[in-house]
Amino acid sequence: TETSFKGFTLVMHKIFTAIQVKLQDAVQHSMDNKEISQLDLFSQDTNDIFIRLEFSSVIKSKTHYDDVRKALLAMAGLTAEIPYFDPNGKKMLLMTGFLRAVIPEKADFEIRIDKKLANLLIEIDKKPDGKPINFTKFSYEIAQAATCLHTPPIYKILSAWKSKEFYKIRYSEFRNY
């Protein structure tokens, strides 16, 4: 899935990275060409998946709870357009918010994401033989320890290209990360 993070704050990057980690079992199922609907994450009889995140997975200091709430509010305001086909094969477009968050005061929080959008986050591009491509492994701890806004996306780019030993990008494109 191609994703643009222009306008993300550092806390938003950390929340998105924490969501990615929670989706890893489903991503691995996708890479192995297994059905994800039997996973606990997708077994609820709703159109959403529910992901519980601990504040400590996003921030280290309890004094920054408000920063997480503000970041979640901003992320809830992001929209996503999801193309799909209905049961009759008719091409459809679902327009939805990126996520919804349920935040108890001073406790862990719950992220709710539309299942169709979650599928887009989970699905891995594959070669015709079914082998995954465009999949990057990176250290969760390094991404979450970032103190600069640009570190998480740059680190993920470098992780994706480390086996090639170089990465060339125009400055104008780089600014979009």
Side-chain angles (χ1 to χ4, degrees), residues 54-117:
E54 302 79 25
F55 273 100
S56 62
S57 70
V58 178
I59 56 169
K60 298 301 173 210
S61 170
K62 293 180 180 182
T63 61
H64 295 284
Y65 282 138
D66 198 45
D67 294 335
V68 173
R69 284 189 176 92
K70 288 177 184 175
L72 286 166
L73 179 61
M75 292 174 84
L78 299 174
T79 57
E81 295 182 9
I82 307 165
Y84 72 100
F85 292 93
D86 73 6
N88 298 321
K90 184 177 178 183
K91 191 172 182 177
M92 306 292 284
L93 182 65
L94 173 65
M95 295 184 184
T96 184
F98 176 65
L99 60 78
R100 289 180 305 286
V102 178
I103 311 169
E105 190 170 330
K106 308 288 185 199
D108 300 340
F109 54 99
E110 182 180 84
I111 301 292
R112 297 176 184 181
I113 300 176
D114 185 282
K115 284 183 180 175
K116 287 182 179 69
L117 179 56

